[in-house]
Amino acid sequence: MWRLRRAAVAWIAERSSSVWSPFLMGIPLETFDQWKDMIPDLSEYKWIVPDIVWEIDEYIDFEKIRKALPSSEDLVKLAPDFDKIVESLSLLKDFFTSGSPEETAFRATDRGSESDKHFRKGLLGELILLQQQIQEHEEEARRAAGQYSTSYAQQKRKVSDKEKIDQLQEELLHTQLKYQRILERLEKENKELRKLVLQKDDKGIHHRKLKKSLIDMYSEVLDVLSDYDASYNTQDHLPRVVVVGDQSAGKTSVLEMIAQARIFPRGSGEMMTRSPVKVTLSEGPHHVALFKDSSREFDLTKEEDLAALRHEIELRMRKNVKEGCTVSPETISLNVKGPGLQRMVLVDLPGVINTVTSGMAPDTKETIFSISKAYMQNPNAIILCIQDGSVDAERSIVTDLVSQMDPHGRRTIFVLTKVDLAEKNVASPSRIQQIIEGKLFPMKALGYFAVVTGKGNSSESIEAIREYEEEFFQNSKLLKTSMLKAHQVTTRNLSLAVSDCFWKMVRESVEQQADSFKATRFNLETEWKNNYPRLRELDRNELFEKAKNEILDEVISLSQVTPKHWEEILQQSLWERVSTHVIENIYLPAAQTMNSGTFNTTVDIKLKQWTDKQLPNKAVEVAWETLQEEFSRFMTEPKGKEHDDIFDKLKEAVKEESIKRHKWNDFAEDSLRVIQHNALEDRSISDKQQWDAAIYFMEEALQARLKDTENAIENMVGPDWKKRWLYWKNRTQEQCVHNETKNELEKMLKCNEEHPAYLASDEITTVRKNLESRGVEVDPSLIKDTWHQVYRRHFLKTALNHCNLCRRGFYYYQRHFVDSELECNDVVLFWRIQRMLAITANTLRQQLTNTEVRRLEKNVKEVLEDFAEDGEKKIKLLTGKRVQLAEDLKKVREIQEKLDAFIEALHQEK
């Protein structure tokens, strides 16, 4: 019997929904759904009922029974008392479940007093009868008015007929007002009951997981499509309610009345809406608002929160507007929830202007037109055209714009605002009737509404505005004289009509859009399989995470470098950096002295100056460059088959930014200076092994310098006779002059092998004259340049021979070279340099491994975190067909999943 009763209830709901159309009568669709939701779920008590009851549909044809049932009008008189059924079911639920005190109080509230039950019992039936009476009165009034107008001259004498017409009009107005009051009371009671139910759900009393509302799911679909919109413009295929109107026509006020909160910034006559605002309205237990990209909730019942919300919207608008512009096409997304709100998505656009005033950008008018057209050209957009009723209709710009975008009026709803002012100021009230009937403007619309959105005071509350609106229309001559119909007035009726139209359009368009995305997804997946069959479909964010892990692994590899490797490369790099200074500025000048005492004194002075001024800084530079080179080596080193070149640009950018941010410890130079100074002060070579190592180090340094010098001389004098014969090379005129000068200077050195490093003036003159005698003209500066290289080679060869002699000098060194002609102070110098290099490399290695590598790793992590939050940076660094294809696949799948979930929810609600 339960199935039979449920089938009857479903049939009643279906018939009632067709009769009680919300668009025509203003009755909310949710009334029956709320009543149905109050029935408890008895599925867990199926075992109480025999199985034959659940299988009864196999033996009884319910379709025939449904067709045999009487019509809805007849059934109204026979319908059972649903309130008693609800009460009985509530008592049954109390019997099976032990409720909390809150539940008990809620059930007691539902039962109420006996008088309330009797009122609610006949409320729906009385509404239907009132609607029928209104229709009958309207028909009778029209017939009487027709008769009165056709024979005006004859009926003029019959005052009784005119009185009859006036009486009929008064009865009609009285019936309409009574109908409106009952409807308002029913809606208010409905709103309170829904609020209580939603609060119960919000507190978790029913212990069931709440699903997302349809409007929230639809808003998410729009947001995802908005991100996808940049390249494909697919968002234009789904419905939204676009609110357009002339500036200061009251469109923002209309939207606030629908949202039941004063949420938008306002100003007296100035432009306040500077960018589109998408408002998603949905039902909830509390009246709150929150932005798409923020978790903060604004309590719309508190004035301080309303002021903060208006300020935040204004800040976001100003942020969206670029420099030199007045308006912006960027959309602000706002969600508003509250009890009794109609579920829909509205977009408030900047008001259309006729003239650009001072302070505005020159292209403001054109920009507003382009933004409005972009939103209205969507074939599924519902256009809410707002017209100011207090100004001349001929001054309107928006009606022409709407007519261009929707010439047949298939998706336009016209709203006349400030009707209270219009009634006072308009000389002929019939003009308002012409507007509402669509006869004054060339534009067409689905429906026409007249509303009042307050007295012009920005501090008025929504409740005060609603009361003023209802009071105005109750006393308005426009309604009393039947120029306006009851269902065409008030923002409440407008909201119901817009919501009904919106959801009808949503159902018609969303499935078609889902099918198109299925085809797009199939095409993209096929393209991926054909081009990248062995790769996973990683989008840009997933690729970034993969690259991030690889980079962090490579940074960690720096800590795995052995101390020996660090010290070797640091010592070698530091010597390459300072070797020229050591040989040219310290060793060569000291070697020109006549005795060991002067040699050591010169060396000590120059080493002290070098340590105080240059050496620590050079050492830190070398260490920092070494760290960079090792870091770069790990970052760019090919990983074999696993190497993915798609990360190369990202790794290079991370490397450069991390190095740029890294700064060496400022105290490193001070501590390093002391260590280097102490190392260079030590002259005591402890064993023969260190002595031999110093000689080997000295030989390598001198041989490297000798090789460089030989190359310099060869470039100066040109190829020798062997290369000229074998490789057919010739000397230039300048090289010939250098060669003659070199030969002359070598003769002078053979005569005096202990010649000092510099030529005297008379020696330069002698060389020049000897060359002139052979027909070679030379400049004194050329002689000096050639002498520098020739003497340098002579000195290095002599130093190498001396170094070879010092191999057996460790014994004499231990005796301080007493009773020996051999002096190896230059070996001691190179030992000091070598030891300083080793100690410096060890110190730098400790600082690298203990401090700098960790700081660099920290910098890399910070850079990666910054890059992760910078979408534009990721788009710039992770590029290519593979990345874009994966991005498109991800977006299309996300859109399709949301569309499918939304369609499923739509079917479930149906």
Side-chain angles (χ1 to χ4, degrees):
M1 291 304 294
W2 271 105
R3 288 201 175 183
L4 180 60
R5 189 166 295 183
R6 286 179 180 174
V9 171
W11 178 84
I12 292 167
E14 180 181 351
R15 288 298 182 92
S16 300
S17 63
S18 63
V19 176
W20 304 334
S21 173
F23 186 83
L24 297 175
M25 296 179 57
I27 301 176
L29 276 173
E30 293 87 343
T31 305
F32 174 74
D33 294 335
Q34 292 172 1
W35 175 84
K36 187 173 64 175
D37 290 341
M38 294 172 63
I39 299 176
D41 186 3
L42 302 176
S43 59
E44 60 188 74
Y45 305 111
K46 283 184 178 181
W47 57 272
I48 298 175
V49 182
D51 292 340
I52 186 64
V53 175
W54 307 116
E55 297 171 359
I56 195 169
D57 56 345
E58 295 178 9
Y59 305 98
I60 299 174
D61 191 347
F62 289 106
E63 183 64 23
K64 290 183 179 179
I65 295 174
R66 187 183 68 79
K67 291 179 179 178
L69 287 172
S71 63
S72 58
E73 289 81 4
D74 297 332
L75 195 63
V76 168
K77 302 173 182 180
L78 303 174
D81 190 342
F82 291 110
D83 289 330
K84 290 185 177 180
I85 295 174
V86 172
E87 183 179 358
S88 301
L89 291 173
S90 301
L91 292 172
L92 182 63
K93 186 176 180 182
D94 291 342
F95 178 78
F96 284 109
T97 59
S98 57
S100 62
E102 292 84 358
E103 286 181 287
T104 306
F106 181 74
R107 287 194 291 269
T109 304
D110 281 346
R111 286 193 288 271
S113 64
E114 196 65 20
S115 60
D116 289 339
K117 284 193 293 181
H118 284 300
F119 173 77
R120 289 196 298 271
K121 176 180 177 181
L123 204 54
L124 287 175
E126 188 174 352
L127 278 172
I128 296 171
L129 293 175
L130 282 171
Q131 179 66 18
Q132 292 173 352
Q133 289 177 17
I134 288 172
Q135 292 175 356
E136 292 172 0
H137 283 309
E138 285 179 347
E139 288 294 330
E140 192 172 351
R142 276 196 292 270
R143 286 197 301 271
Q147 293 173 3
Y148 181 77
S149 59
T150 53
S151 55
Y152 177 76
Q154 299 174 7
Q155 296 296 329
K156 189 175 181 181
R157 296 185 299 271
K158 299 182 181 180
V159 181
S160 58
D161 289 348
K162 185 176 183 301
E163 292 176 351
K164 183 180 178 182
I165 294 173
D166 293 339
Q167 184 181 358
L168 284 172
Q169 288 179 342
E170 288 179 5
E171 289 179 3
L172 174 62
L173 179 61
H174 177 74
T175 307
Q176 286 178 334
L177 293 176
K178 184 178 179 182
Y179 165 78
Q180 198 74 19
R181 283 194 297 271
I182 294 174
L183 188 62
E184 289 169 6
R185 186 167 180 181
L186 180 63
E187 182 182 326
K188 186 175 181 181
E189 187 176 296
N190 181 31
K191 180 178 175 181
E192 293 298 324
L193 287 172
R194 288 188 65 81
K195 184 174 181 180
L196 287 170
V197 172
L198 288 167
Q199 285 176 342
K200 287 176 67 179
D201 286 343
D202 194 46
K203 294 175 183 177
I205 293 175
H206 288 314
H207 300 288
R208 68 172 184 264
K209 185 178 180 181
L210 292 175
K211 297 181 180 178
K212 284 184 179 177
S213 68
L214 271 178
I215 192 63
D216 288 336
M217 295 172 70
Y218 183 72
S219 182
E220 286 180 4
V221 170
L222 285 182
D223 290 336
V224 174
L225 287 174
S226 181
D227 296 335
Y228 196 61
D229 220 8
S231 53
Y232 291 93
N233 296 320
T234 50
Q235 186 187 5
D236 290 340
H237 292 83
L238 289 178
R240 288 159 296 176
V241 180
V242 180
V243 186
V244 294
D246 298 323
Q247 185 179 340
S248 302
K251 68 181 170 51
T252 300
S253 298
V254 171
L255 207 156
E256 286 181 332
M257 290 295 290
I258 295 173
Q260 298 181 19
R262 312 218 59 175
I263 57 178
F264 290 102
R266 52 184 43 83
S268 55
E270 60 177 314
M271 179 181 292
M272 297 307 297
T273 306
R274 296 180 177 270
S275 67
V277 181
K278 180 170 77 72
V279 182
T280 303
L281 300 180
S282 59
E283 200 166 24
H286 306 291
H287 203 185
V288 295
L290 65 158
F291 291 97
K292 170 191 170 185
D293 56 355
S294 173
S295 59
R296 178 186 175 184
E297 282 192 350
F298 296 88
D299 188 345
L300 302 183
T301 61
K302 297 179 180 178
E303 187 54 42
E304 55 269 23
D305 276 27
L306 280 169
L309 177 61
R310 290 193 290 265
H311 181 65
E312 179 66 22
I313 292 175
E314 186 174 0
L315 288 178
R316 287 173 180 253
M317 285 182 180
R318 296 188 182 279
K319 184 179 179 182
N320 287 348
V321 176
K322 297 180 181 177
E323 188 176 355
C325 299
T326 305
V327 293
S328 168
E330 296 183 31
T331 305
I332 299 171
S333 294
L334 180 69
N335 293 338
V336 178
K337 298 181 180 181
L341 291 183
Q342 297 300 317
R343 304 170 301 167
M344 64 183 107
V345 177
L346 304 102
V347 182
D348 185 24
L349 300 180
V352 179
I353 61 173
N354 193 20
T355 306
V356 176
T357 59
S358 61
M360 291 185 180
D363 63 342
T364 301
K365 181 178 177 181
E366 291 74 17
T367 305
I368 293 173
F369 267 73
S370 64
I371 293 172
S372 301
K373 287 181 178 179
Y375 276 90
M376 288 192 291
Q377 70 185 2
N378 173 8
N380 293 316
I382 301 167
I383 303 172
L384 203 61
C385 179
I386 310 297
Q387 168 66 38
D388 188 347
S390 65
V391 299
D392 293 337
E394 289 77 12
R395 292 169 56 185
S396 174
I397 309 171
V398 70
T399 50
D400 293 336
L401 180 61
V402 172
S403 297
Q404 294 174 17
M405 306 310 296
D406 183 25
H408 301 292
R410 292 171 182 166
R411 51 191 179 89
T412 300
I413 295 177
F414 180 86
V415 182
L416 187 68
T417 61
K418 307 179 184 178
V419 181
D420 54 339
L421 299 178
E423 188 180 40
K424 294 177 183 177
N425 300 334
V426 176
S428 175
S430 61
R431 190 174 175 84
I432 298 176
Q433 184 180 10
Q434 286 181 314
I435 295 175
I436 294 301
E437 290 177 352
K439 296 177 180 179
L440 187 64
F441 291 113
M443 64 168 287
K444 298 178 181 179
L446 283 172
Y448 297 84
F449 289 85
V451 299
V452 175
T453 55
K455 301 177 182 178
N457 185 0
S458 59
S459 62
E460 281 183 297
S461 66
I462 293 294
E463 196 62 35
I465 295 173
R466 189 180 296 280
E467 289 176 0
Y468 172 71
E469 182 184 42
E470 292 173 356
E471 182 183 353
F472 167 77
F473 281 117
Q474 285 176 4
N475 300 319
S476 173
K477 296 179 181 178
L478 297 172
L479 207 60
K480 289 181 178 179
T481 56
S482 299
M483 291 185 180
L484 298 179
K485 296 179 182 179
H487 68 271
Q488 287 184 308
V489 298
T490 72
T491 51
R492 183 188 61 259
N493 287 339
L494 168 66
S495 177
L496 291 169
V498 172
S499 178
D500 184 62
C501 189
F502 170 78
W503 284 105
K504 181 181 178 183
M505 195 169 284
V506 167
R507 289 184 175 91
E508 291 174 353
S509 61
V510 72
E511 292 190 7
Q512 181 182 358
Q513 190 64 25
D515 291 339
S516 69
F517 271 98
K518 286 178 183 177
T520 304
R521 175 177 176 175
F522 176 78
N523 295 337
L524 291 173
E525 287 177 343
T526 303
E527 185 178 356
W528 182 275
K529 290 175 183 177
N530 292 334
N531 289 284
Y532 312 104
R534 298 183 180 180
L535 294 176
R536 287 193 300 131
E537 300 164 6
L538 300 179
D539 59 38
R540 189 171 276 110
N541 290 331
E542 291 169 334
L543 284 171
F544 182 84
E545 288 300 318
K546 183 179 178 182
K548 177 181 176 181
N549 293 331
E550 283 189 15
I551 292 170
L552 292 176
D553 290 342
E554 288 159 0
V555 174
I556 292 174
S557 299
L558 279 174
S559 60
Q560 307 301 319
V561 177
T562 61
K564 182 180 178 182
H565 178 74
W566 277 121
E567 291 184 16
E568 285 178 355
I569 57 177
L570 284 168
Q571 189 169 343
Q572 181 182 352
S573 301
L574 183 58
W575 173 242
E576 289 174 358
R577 181 67 61 86
V578 303
S579 58
T580 300
H581 182 86
V582 169
I583 292 173
E584 300 293 338
N585 295 15
I586 299 176
Y587 176 55
L588 285 177
Q592 305 303 316
T593 57
M594 303 302 295
N595 55 63
S596 61
T598 309
F599 178 90
N600 290 332
T601 302
T602 304
V603 165
D604 289 345
I605 292 171
K606 290 187 175 295
L607 285 177
K608 181 68 167 60
Q609 294 173 347
W610 184 44
T611 307
D612 290 342
K613 296 179 181 179
Q614 299 179 15
L615 183 57
N617 181 261
K618 293 287 183 184
V620 170
E621 286 180 3
V622 167
W624 177 217
E625 290 174 4
T626 302
L627 179 59
Q628 292 182 45
E629 289 171 2
E630 288 297 299
F631 179 48
S632 300
R633 180 172 67 84
F634 281 112
M635 291 283 285
T636 58
E637 193 175 45
K639 306 297 186 297
K641 293 182 179 180
E642 297 179 0
H643 179 69
D644 196 342
D645 57 1
I646 205 168
F647 299 142
D648 290 348
K649 286 175 67 176
L650 175 61
K651 288 183 177 181
E652 184 66 24
V654 171
K655 182 193 75 175
E656 291 177 359
E657 184 64 24
S658 301
I659 290 172
K660 182 180 176 182
R661 294 186 186 186
H662 187 83
K663 292 183 179 179
W664 202 271
N665 193 339
D666 296 333
F667 300 105
E669 289 188 21
D670 297 333
S671 58
L672 194 59
R673 183 178 289 107
V674 176
I675 293 170
Q676 290 171 336
H677 181 73
N678 293 335
L680 290 171
E681 284 290 317
D682 189 5
R683 297 186 181 85
S684 57
I685 304 175
S686 58
D687 53 33
K688 182 69 165 55
Q689 186 178 359
Q690 292 184 17
W691 181 268
D692 292 340
I695 290 175
Y696 178 75
F697 174 63
M698 179 179 174
E699 281 182 339
E700 276 193 334
L702 296 177
Q703 285 173 356
R705 290 292 157 181
L706 179 59
K707 185 178 180 180
D708 293 341
T709 304
E710 293 283 2
N711 291 333
I713 292 174
E714 184 178 350
N715 292 332
M716 184 184 291
V717 301
D720 56 10
W721 65 270
K722 187 184 292 184
K723 289 183 178 179
R724 291 200 302 274
W725 279 97
L726 293 175
Y727 302 108
W728 292 82
K729 292 182 179 181
N730 293 319
R731 287 172 175 164
T732 64
Q733 183 64 32
E734 185 180 1
Q735 287 176 337
C736 291
V737 173
H738 275 291
N739 185 59
E740 292 294 332
T741 307
K742 176 184 75 78
N743 294 335
E744 189 67 26
L745 292 172
E746 284 177 344
K747 291 177 185 178
M748 187 170 61
L749 269 177
K750 286 182 181 178
C751 297
N752 182 14
E753 292 186 353
E754 296 183 358
H755 193 285
Y758 302 99
L759 286 174
S761 299
D762 55 344
E763 290 176 325
I764 294 173
T765 303
T766 302
V767 171
R768 186 167 59 83
K769 287 182 178 181
N770 290 341
L771 291 172
E772 287 176 353
S773 64
R774 297 201 297 271
V776 180
E777 294 290 336
V778 293
D779 189 80
S781 61
L782 186 143
I783 296 172
K784 290 180 181 179
D785 292 341
T786 308
W787 167 256
H788 177 73
Q789 298 298 337
V790 171
Y791 179 80
R792 184 186 180 85
R793 180 173 65 178
H794 168 72
F795 172 80
L796 290 172
K797 286 181 177 180
T798 304
L800 281 170
N801 291 331
H802 179 70
C803 184
N804 191 38
L805 292 173
C806 286
R807 288 185 182 278
R808 54 186 177 83
F810 181 68
Y811 171 75
Y812 298 104
Y813 165 76
Q814 288 181 317
R815 297 173 54 119
H816 305 288
F817 299 104
V818 177
D819 300 329
S820 173
E821 295 180 357
L822 183 65
E823 291 184 354
C824 297
N825 293 311
D826 48 358
V827 176
V828 176
L829 168 63
F830 277 91
W831 178 83
R832 293 166 70 184
I833 297 294
Q834 186 183 35
R835 185 167 180 271
M836 181 275 297
L837 291 174
I839 292 174
T840 301
N842 180 268
T843 304
L844 292 173
R845 189 267 304 167
Q846 291 182 33
Q847 186 172 357
L848 278 172
T849 55
N850 295 338
T851 307
E852 303 304 330
V853 169
R854 293 179 182 176
R855 290 178 62 225
L856 180 61
E857 183 180 350
K858 182 181 178 182
N859 288 339
V860 170
K861 289 180 179 178
E862 290 176 354
V863 170
L864 287 170
E865 288 174 0
D866 292 345
F867 282 11
E869 296 174 359
D870 192 342
E872 293 182 1
K873 183 79 72 175
K874 285 192 282 189
I875 292 173
K876 182 180 177 181
L877 297 176
L878 292 172
T879 57
K881 179 181 177 182
R882 171 182 153 196
V883 182
Q884 191 58 49
L885 187 57
E887 281 287 303
D888 292 345
L889 262 172
K890 175 193 173 185
K891 290 176 182 176
V892 168
R893 282 173 178 158
E894 183 183 1
I895 292 168
Q896 188 190 343
E897 287 171 3
K898 288 189 179 295
L899 283 171
D900 290 344
F902 179 65
I903 292 169
E904 184 181 353
L906 270 177
H907 291 324
Q908 288 178 356
E909 187 179 80
K910 235 178 181 180

